[in-house]
Amino acid sequence: MHSDISTASHVQRSLRQCLAVVAELLYDNGHVLETITLAQRGLNRKELQSLSQNAPGWATCQQVLETSQAATRNEQGRFVLTPMGRELMFDMFGEGAADCA
């Protein structure tokens, strides 16, 4: 039981670290948080490729977010946060920083 709690805690810490890195890399590369927090927006394949080339930590964080189901592809195939990913992002940065209204 203790190891399950430790694992869950580690996964959430890793997710939070990745979300913080992703937020910084988005801003550094001319995007805003709403790019991935709004289900109808998202990053297209070209934008993801550009981020992977220009930002060394992007690919790793993208993989962690997708593997943990904090991010997915929307109907248009764009990279967006899932409801769980948005909840963590809003918890970290505040609803106003990445408002989905």
Side-chain angles (χ1 to χ4, degrees):
M1 171 100 172
H2 177 68
S3 65
D4 289 344
I5 293 171
S6 297
T7 301
S9 176
H10 175 72
V11 167
Q12 188 175 63
R13 188 169 42 255
S14 293
L15 280 174
R16 288 178 182 272
Q17 288 170 340
C18 280
L19 287 168
V21 169
V22 163
E24 181 180 351
L25 294 176
L26 284 171
Y27 285 122
D28 289 349
N29 287 276
H31 298 281
V32 294
L33 285 178
E34 288 85 355
T35 303
I36 61 170
T37 60
L38 294 174
Q40 68 272 21
R41 288 192 65 188
L43 295 165
N44 65 29
R45 190 172 45 93
K46 185 178 177 183
E47 291 165 327
L48 288 172
Q49 189 174 42
S50 176
L51 280 165
S52 291
Q53 291 172 347
N54 297 330
W58 179 267
T60 301
C61 284
Q62 180 182 340
Q63 182 178 8
V64 167
L65 293 175
E66 288 179 316
T67 301
S68 65
Q69 299 180 347
T72 190
R73 305 293 171 132
N74 66 12
E75 296 80 26
Q76 296 81 33
R78 293 170 164 263
F79 179 82
V80 295
L81 294 180
T82 63
M84 187 255 301
R86 284 193 299 274
E87 185 177 324
L88 283 171
M89 185 70 84
F90 297 152
D91 184 48
M92 292 169 55
F93 294 103
E95 194 93 23
D99 196 355
C100 63

